[in-house]
Structure formats: structure tokens, C-alpha cells
Amino acid sequence: VQAGLPQGVAVPLHADIAAHLSEARAEPIRIADHWLAAGEPLRAEPYLNEAATRAASVWRRREAAALQRRRAAILQAAQRSDEAFEAWFAAADIAVDLGSIDDAQACQAALTELARGPAQATACAFISSWVEYHLGEQEAALRIARNALAGARHASAKVEVLLLQHVSTMLWERREV
């Protein structure tokens, strides 16, 4: 049915459906998909975030990361840089937990582009160091992480802890602790 609808009918129909589903408190991903189909990505963004949070809470981590990446791309396109950075970092954090180097690298590129200020630079350095380490570049990874430790006090507690754990793990594996 949808394929046969003219764009001029489908777009407002998707917007109406999204609004109705939102009022009915439907699944956030269904609402987001309709806002996206209606050409309203910024209206879809909070629902993508909610869907990602729900997916992560039931250990559907890959789904949560994919939703965060979709959300991040929307925010980045809208030039909402700080929010985009946080969404990319959320996706990268999941990639780290899953040991997914490819996903972490994809997030790393966006994080590097968006990083502003010491807090974001520290978060970006953590991801960069983790990627380098898992690509077999242990010396580079340790250098990046050690340099980032100086700015760790500016980062969130979570980023500081992730960075400290990462450095500790690298030093432990080298038997330097």
C-alpha cells in the first residue's frame, strides 16, 4: 500500500501516524521510523534515544549501538555537535564493550571531527587508544592514553574511569603494575 501512495500523501500520513503513536505511547522505534519517513529526523531523534536505552536495558547491545549511531548522524547533520558527540560516544562505548573494532573506528572518526574542549578530547582519546590497542599498536595506544590522563579531570566520571581502566589493563598486560 505504501509504495502506491504519492509522496504528497505519504509524508503527512507518516507524520499523523507518528503523532498518534506518540500519544498512545507506542514503541519508540515505531514512532521514530514514522517521523523519519515523514522527513522529520529531529522529531525522530528522542525516540531513537529512548529505543536505544530500552534495547541496552535488555542486553540488545548491537541494536542499541546502531540506534545511537542513527541518532548521532541526525544530530550531527543538524549541527547539534555536543549532543551528536554524546550519541557517538554512547555508540562507541557499546562497541568497546562488545569488542567491535570496526564499529569503534566508525565512531572514532565522527568523535574526532566533533571533539571540542578538554572533556570531549579526553573521551575521543580513550576511543582512539582502545582502537589502536586492538589493532595491535600497543605503544601508540599507551602513549595516547597517557597523554589523555592529564585532561581526564575535565571529562565525565565515566570517561575518566574508562580511561583509567584501559591504562591499567595495558600496564598490567605489560607487567608494569
Side-chain angles (χ1 to χ4, degrees):
V1 174
Q2 183 177 342
L5 288 178
Q7 188 77 0
V9 173
V11 169
L13 183 59
H14 279 294
D16 288 346
I17 292 169
H20 174 73
L21 290 173
S22 180
E23 288 175 19
R25 297 179 186 244
E27 282 296 314
I29 191 61
R30 291 185 62 212
I31 300 167
D33 285 342
H34 282 288
W35 281 126
L36 291 169
E40 297 275 354
L42 287 174
R43 293 187 79 174
E45 182 272 324
Y47 297 103
L48 289 170
N49 189 37
E50 187 178 345
T53 300
R54 286 185 182 191
S57 74
V58 293
W59 293 98
R60 294 186 337 241
R61 307 279 288 155
R62 290 189 194 289
E63 179 183 342
L67 291 165
Q68 286 292 2
R69 287 191 303 270
R70 285 175 68 190
R71 178 176 167 252
I74 289 167
L75 291 165
Q76 192 169 357
Q79 298 181 346
R80 290 169 52 182
S81 300
D82 288 341
E83 292 169 276
F85 186 93
E86 292 304 317
W88 281 116
F89 188 80
D93 186 31
I94 295 169
V96 166
D97 284 349
L98 295 174
S100 177
I101 298 167
D102 291 341
D103 287 346
Q105 282 181 301
C107 295
Q108 176 190 13
L111 289 167
T112 300
E113 181 182 330
L114 291 168
R116 303 287 182 270
Q120 290 180 348
T122 301
C124 189
F126 162 67
I127 298 301
S128 295
S129 176
W130 185 91
V131 167
E132 289 297 317
Y133 184 80
H134 286 85
L135 290 175
E137 300 293 332
Q138 285 80 12
E139 292 301 320
L142 189 56
R143 180 181 37 75
I144 292 166
R146 281 183 166 155
N147 288 341
L149 284 174
R153 70 182 185 283
H154 299 290
S156 69
K158 177 179 182 146
V159 169
E160 186 174 13
V161 167
L162 287 170
L163 183 60
L164 288 169
Q165 286 175 331
H166 179 57
V167 170
S168 298
T169 299
M170 288 189 291
L171 292 174
W172 174 261
E173 288 178 357
R174 295 165 60 113
R175 304 294 185 245
E176 292 183 19
V177 228

